[in-house]
Amino acid sequence: MDKGKDVTIYDLAEKLNISVATVSRALKDDPVVSKKTKKKIFELAEEMGYRSNNFARNLRTQRTNTIGAILPRLNSYFMSTVIAGIEHVANSQGYNLIISQSSESGEKEQQCARTMFNNRVDGLLVSLAYDTDTIRHFDSFLKKDIPVLFFDRCAEHDQITSVLIDNRKAAYEATKHLIAQGCRRIVHITAHTSRNVYTERLAGYRQALEENQLPFDGSLIIRNNLSQEAGYEAAKDILAMPRLPDGVFVANDNCAVSCMLALKKQGVSIPADMAFVGFNNDPVSMVIEPNLTTINYPGYEMGEVAARYLISHLMGGAPMTATNTVLLRSELIIRDSSLRNP
Amino acid sequence: MDKGKDVTIYDLAEKLNISVATVSRALKDDPVVSKKTKKKIFELAEEMGYRSNNFARNLRTQRTNTIGAILPRLNSYFMSTVIAGIEHVANSQGYNLIISQSSESGEKEQQCARTMFNNRVDGLLVSLAYDTDTIRHFDSFLKKDIPVLFFDRCAEHDQITSVLIDNRKAAYEATKHLIAQGCRRIVHITAHTSRNVYTERLAGYRQALEENQLPFDGSLIIRNNLSQEAGYEAAKDILAMPRLPDGVFVANDNCAVSCMLALKKQGVSIPADMAFVGFNNDPVSMVIEPNLTTINYPGYEMGEVAARYLISHLMGGAPMTATNTVLLRSELIIRDSSLRNP
């Protein structure tokens, strides 16, 4: 067929001898059209190489039925569960999801935002990159009334709702638990960033120390990128400390696990010498021996809630501006890595 | 500003008092335009809410500088390394990447393909879903000369190049290693699917048995979805066998690790009673005790190679049809889970 010229819904309607309206509805997956008819239309559309004219359709309906998600990295169990939750809701509501990755770079995040904007997504879900210091790149969406919602890694904005857990409280519980297990010198391993999740966890750690009359000691704070490699490095830093700590609270499980492995190799006994608590409840926390005490982070629910908010708004529900923050529950899961007096 | 009317590059050029050509080049990230000018233009574009008119631009240049990737699931370490490899090449070549997930469903994969087609991607990278039984949904791309490339989970097609490892050889090496360690009754845990990766691994397992005059016994083949949960179930099946096996070769590490954990709980000693080999070399293979022998699967390189092939073709390189298959090297990594006579 002619590669230059695009096939139109008129061509499809004519060929199948049905109304253009039916074809158009079918292509939008409108339930009023029977599965059987849709199948016929989709098959012909595939065969003739039809592609919906997003541009023209936008001028008419301002809809593409596509949601965009910009994520910092796709390499964590937590993020994969969030995506599963988003997809579950998006699919059930007839929305497609396209994802792009900022690779923790604010500059890349701006490119991703441009791509999503040019793809005319109906709404955008964002978890901010490590080093994002401005969120002005979302203004173009808001100007067009395209809703933007932050989850997990959030920033304050009067037109953007944030869906997250109470990171401060979760970290407070984790640290309080270590103190209750007799820990007095507790290392906190966190990220080099001012992202909300990490500053809040640090604040919760600090609050627990203060409430228990333990001094806050900056030399016990280790900052890295929380990767597996960073965990091995952190173990070296810990072993190099003039006085060894008796507890370690790490801002994610991956880093906690590799740190534990390295310390075990050096003969450190966990939890007797050092009690460990991680964050996220990744499956690896049940593989490491002793099993890792951690914070159960409801990724799937977070994805569902974020997508439900965005879509209900797209379907004419409550304005996003009405809600500032949605906090999800998280809980401390106590396992052997921190249990000193079982 | 008026939400109905779209801002054009003419508006931008006028406002900045520079040529329309410069604006157009800058928006395509053309290196001939200085960073400084680009910055000015991007900032104004953001501010005025400009969005590139993909439709019109396509009619002119047939380019969106966007690559699409359809992946079965985003929940594996392997897949996240593949994505990192794709992104590395795409970014360096000035292409954006949009990703969608088939969730292992052939039907969902067809929807994803439609979305990518409607978003007018310049090229498509696909790793097929578990239950995809036709690849006709990619014909519309090929008809428009939009290149499609399969990686890892592939199917035969005369216009589609496949990038993968030699799964048969890798499985053959893994099984041969178990036999060399004295295993005579080797269970193989694989997936309920006819996807190439699993049928090839089964064939390699079978070939190693035959070459060593060991009978192929269908009752030693366990089929599941290779999830963590499936690993726990597989352990029950193994313990229920009238005669226990002395070796287990699992088609992925996640499932191998949870199976090992469950068997260890029941007092099975690994590798003495049962030697284990997994597949993928996920980080968890270094966390489980004893560390898991596995096949190192070059995910990052696979992503790079796939993206490089697609983009070099887009930039007028060799036609895709010339290459049928690109095989990447993989290797057996021997660790304690299989070493019976160290």
Side-chain angles (χ1 to χ4, degrees):
Chain A
M1 60 168 282
D2 171 2
K3 273 158 188 153
K5 187 176 167 307
D6 274 333
V7 177
T8 69
I9 59 173
Y10 301 93
D11 303 324
L12 300 175
E14 192 182 351
K15 198 109 175 194
L16 293 168
N17 186 22
I18 55 181
S19 80
V20 171
T22 307
V23 174
S24 146
R25 287 205 190 84
L27 293 170
K28 293 199 196 82
D29 233 348
D30 185 327
V32 303
V33 183
S34 74
K35 270 199 172 318
K36 193 161 148 300
T37 313
K38 269 184 200 160
K39 190 163 173 304
K40 267 201 320 210
I41 294 169
F42 283 149
E43 283 171 0
L44 181 66
E46 302 277 339
E47 183 193 323
M48 293 181 67
Y50 167 81
R51 43 182 162 185
S52 71
N53 178 334
N54 285 340
F55 176 59
R57 193 205 291 165
N58 271 294
L59 292 184
R60 281 200 310 280
T61 69
Q62 302 291 337
R63 280 294 179 100
T64 59
N65 289 314
T66 303
I67 290 175
I70 301 176
L71 311 174
R73 274 198 193 291
L74 296 169
N75 68 352
S76 70
Y77 172 80
F78 167 69
M79 204 45 86
S80 70
T81 57
V82 172
I83 294 168
I86 294 173
E87 288 236 317
H88 174 240
V89 171
N91 294 342
S92 67
Q93 302 294 318
Y95 279 83
N96 304 304
L97 176 68
I98 58 177
I99 299 167
S100 74
Q101 168 173 268
S102 65
S103 306
E104 300 288 11
S105 146
E107 201 177 310
K108 178 84 198 302
E109 185 176 284
Q110 296 182 20
Q111 277 176 35
C112 294
R114 263 196 298 280
T115 305
M116 291 294 178
F117 190 72
N118 292 335
N119 279 309
R120 296 165 183 266
V121 294
D122 292 339
L124 187 65
L125 300 168
V126 182
S127 188
L128 294 168
Y130 246 44
D131 69 354
T132 292
D133 48 12
T134 164
I135 53 174
R136 295 211 35 256
H137 45 290
F138 301 113
D139 291 351
S140 45
F141 291 84
L142 302 170
K143 282 203 184 115
K144 286 261 180 204
D145 276 349
I146 300 165
V148 177
L149 186 146
F150 291 149
F151 65 90
D152 187 41
R153 307 261 207 95
C154 305
E156 277 296 324
H157 190 296
D158 59 1
Q159 287 175 271
I160 300 178
T161 298
S162 292
V163 177
L164 67 174
I165 63 165
D166 187 336
N167 285 283
R168 177 190 294 250
K169 181 161 165 293
Y172 169 80
E173 300 291 347
T175 312
K176 209 176 75 180
H177 164 70
L178 286 171
I179 296 168
Q181 295 296 311
C183 302
R184 291 295 170 266
R185 274 178 70 76
I186 302 171
V187 161
H188 178 41
I189 303 178
T190 183
H192 284 295
T193 165
S194 57
R195 279 275 76 75
N196 61 303
V197 293
Y198 304 107
T199 51
E200 287 294 305
R201 289 171 198 178
L202 179 60
Y205 159 86
R206 197 166 181 150
Q207 182 190 344
L209 294 182
E210 281 159 6
E211 280 187 14
N212 291 273
Q213 293 76 45
L214 292 173
F216 173 83
D217 176 352
S219 73
L220 294 178
I221 307 301
I222 297 175
R223 290 181 188 276
N224 57 37
N225 66 3
L226 296 174
S227 66
Q228 194 184 12
E229 296 65 35
Y232 297 122
E233 289 307 310
K236 288 186 201 152
D237 300 343
I238 287 171
L239 292 170
M241 289 181 175
R243 241 182 84 215
L244 287 185
D246 51 14
V248 183
F249 167 44
V250 189
N252 82 17
D253 287 344
N254 275 329
C255 185
V257 162
S258 56
C259 186
M260 284 170 73
L261 288 171
L263 289 170
K264 282 171 67 180
K265 268 216 183 69
Q266 299 303 314
V268 173
S269 149
I270 296 168
D273 302 340
M274 285 180 213
F276 260 78
V277 178
F279 210 104
N280 285 1
N281 196 24
D282 284 350
V284 70
S285 64
M286 297 279 281
V287 176
I288 182 78
E289 298 178 17
N291 283 188
L292 180 61
T293 295
T294 188
I295 300 290
N296 185 38
Y297 204 139
Y300 189 85
E301 292 72 10
M302 180 171 280
E304 283 192 317
V305 169
R308 211 173 283 123
Y309 254 79
L310 193 74
I311 291 174
S312 71
H313 172 70
L314 290 173
M315 293 180 162
M320 299 285 277
T321 47
T323 318
N324 177 33
T325 308
V326 180
L327 280 184
L328 301 182
R329 264 187 211 74
S330 64
E331 55 172 338
L332 179 68
I333 298 181
I334 298 173
R335 302 199 184 110
D336 293 341
S337 70
S338 65
L339 270 188
R340 289 168 132 191
N341 23 25
Chain B
M1 59 168 280
D2 171 1
K3 274 157 187 153
K5 187 177 167 308
D6 274 333
V7 177
T8 68
I9 60 174
Y10 301 93
D11 302 326
L12 300 175
E14 192 183 352
K15 197 109 173 193
L16 293 168
N17 186 21
I18 55 182
S19 80
V20 171
T22 307
V23 174
S24 148
R25 286 204 193 84
L27 293 171
K28 292 199 196 80
D29 233 347
D30 184 327
V32 304
V33 183
S34 74
K35 269 200 171 319
K36 193 161 149 301
T37 312
K38 269 185 200 158
K39 190 164 174 304
K40 265 199 321 204
I41 294 169
F42 284 149
E43 282 171 2
L44 182 65
E46 302 277 340
E47 183 193 323
M48 293 181 68
Y50 167 82
R51 44 181 161 184
S52 71
N53 178 335
N54 285 340
F55 176 58
R57 194 207 291 165
N58 272 294
L59 292 184
R60 281 199 311 278
T61 69
Q62 301 292 336
R63 280 294 179 101
T64 58
N65 288 313
T66 302
I67 289 175
I70 300 176
L71 310 174
R73 275 198 193 290
L74 297 168
N75 67 352
S76 71
Y77 172 80
F78 167 69
M79 204 45 85
S80 70
T81 56
V82 172
I83 294 169
I86 294 172
E87 288 237 319
H88 174 242
V89 172
N91 294 342
S92 67
Q93 302 294 320
Y95 280 82
N96 304 303
L97 176 68
I98 58 177
I99 299 166
S100 74
Q101 170 174 265
S102 65
S103 306
E104 300 288 12
S105 145
E107 202 178 311
K108 178 86 198 302
E109 185 176 282
Q110 296 183 20
Q111 276 177 34
C112 294
R114 263 197 296 281
T115 305
M116 291 295 177
F117 191 72
N118 292 336
N119 279 308
R120 295 163 184 269
V121 293
D122 291 340
L124 187 65
L125 299 169
V126 182
S127 188
L128 294 168
Y130 246 45
D131 68 356
T132 291
D133 47 12
T134 164
I135 53 175
R136 295 212 34 257
H137 46 291
F138 302 112
D139 292 351
S140 45
F141 292 84
L142 303 171
K143 281 201 185 119
K144 286 261 178 206
D145 276 349
I146 300 164
V148 178
L149 186 146
F150 290 149
F151 65 89
D152 186 40
R153 307 259 207 97
C154 306
E156 277 298 323
H157 189 297
D158 60 0
Q159 286 174 272
I160 301 179
T161 298
S162 293
V163 177
L164 67 174
I165 63 165
D166 188 337
N167 284 282
R168 177 191 293 252
K169 180 159 163 293
Y172 169 79
E173 300 292 348
T175 311
K176 209 176 75 179
H177 164 69
L178 285 171
I179 295 168
Q181 295 297 311
C183 301
R184 292 295 170 264
R185 276 177 69 75
I186 302 170
V187 162
H188 178 42
I189 302 178
T190 183
H192 284 296
T193 165
S194 57
R195 280 274 75 76
N196 61 304
V197 292
Y198 304 108
T199 50
E200 287 293 305
R201 289 171 199 178
L202 179 60
Y205 158 86
R206 198 166 180 150
Q207 181 189 345
L209 294 183
E210 281 159 6
E211 281 187 15
N212 291 274
Q213 293 77 44
L214 292 173
F216 173 81
D217 176 352
S219 72
L220 294 178
I221 306 300
I222 297 175
R223 290 180 188 277
N224 57 38
N225 66 2
L226 295 175
S227 67
Q228 192 184 12
E229 296 64 35
Y232 297 123
E233 289 307 310
K236 288 186 201 151
D237 301 342
I238 287 172
L239 291 170
M241 289 180 175
R243 239 182 86 216
L244 287 184
D246 51 15
V248 182
F249 167 44
V250 190
N252 83 18
D253 287 344
N254 274 329
C255 184
V257 162
S258 56
C259 186
M260 284 169 73
L261 288 171
L263 289 170
K264 282 170 66 178
K265 268 217 183 69
Q266 299 303 315
V268 173
S269 150
I270 296 168
D273 302 339
M274 284 180 215
F276 260 77
V277 178
F279 210 105
N280 285 1
N281 196 24
D282 284 351
V284 70
S285 63
M286 298 278 281
V287 176
I288 182 77
E289 298 180 14
N291 283 189
L292 180 61
T293 295
T294 188
I295 300 290
N296 185 38
Y297 204 139
Y300 189 85
E301 292 71 12
M302 180 171 279
E304 282 191 317
V305 169
R308 210 173 284 121
Y309 254 79
L310 194 74
I311 291 174
S312 70
H313 171 70
L314 290 173
M315 292 178 161
M320 299 284 277
T321 48
T323 319
N324 176 34
T325 307
V326 180
L327 280 185
L328 301 182
R329 264 187 211 73
S330 64
E331 56 172 338
L332 178 68
I333 297 181
I334 298 173
R335 303 200 183 109
D336 293 341
S337 70
S338 65
L339 269 188
R340 290 167 132 190
N341 23 25

